[in-house]
Amino acid sequence: MVAITPHGSFKVATNKGGDMDNEKTDFEIWMQTMGYNGKQVSAAGEALGFASATAIRAKAGTKTLSTTDRLAMSAVRAGLPEWTPEKDEEIHALALLKKSLQASQSGTSDD
């Protein structure tokens, strides 16, 4: 079961009955996918550039995750380096690789 909270975040029920009392915020779900445990909130937030208090609020669901926050979560999940002029070429090469992989996958699905 999924619920949209009043502050625009999504929460997912974690028990089999679909009870929203044991729901997880998007930030908690991201933390789990990244391998952080529930006590590593500050470390997870630090990877995104969050202050410790901001990470705690994100985990609690009292901080609405902005598009910028979600893009940072995607970048960290994908292992992208922080953008700098020196890293631009590497990041662009990764984007081209992704496009190439997508094109090859769509080409083989027609067979």
Side-chain angles (χ1 to χ4, degrees):
M1 174 185 253
V2 175
I4 300 174
T5 64
H7 43 78
S9 186
F10 294 92
K11 292 190 173 187
V12 179
T14 56
N15 65 358
K16 292 180 182 172
D19 181 4
M20 296 309 286
D21 289 337
N22 293 324
E23 56 203 28
K24 292 194 178 213
T25 63
D26 289 356
F27 187 76
E28 286 178 292
I29 295 166
W30 176 83
M31 282 181 56
Q32 283 184 333
T33 64
M34 293 298 300
Y36 292 106
N37 66 42
K39 294 182 181 184
Q40 296 174 306
V41 178
S42 293
E46 188 176 304
L48 302 172
F50 286 179
S52 184
T54 303
I56 291 166
R57 288 182 27 242
K59 182 179 183 279
T62 59
K63 179 204 182 322
T64 300
L65 295 173
S66 69
T67 299
T68 302
D69 297 335
R70 292 175 182 278
L71 286 169
M73 291 162 76
S74 293
V76 170
R77 179 75 173 133
L80 296 175
E82 183 177 329
W83 187 91
T84 64
E86 296 79 21
K87 292 287 184 179
D88 184 70
E89 216 173 292
E90 176 186 350
I91 294 167
H92 182 66
L94 290 168
L96 293 175
L97 178 61
K98 179 183 177 218
K99 267 187 184 176
S100 177
L101 288 170
Q102 287 172 332
S104 70
Q105 288 174 348
S106 66
T108 56
S109 65
D110 294 336
D111 293 339

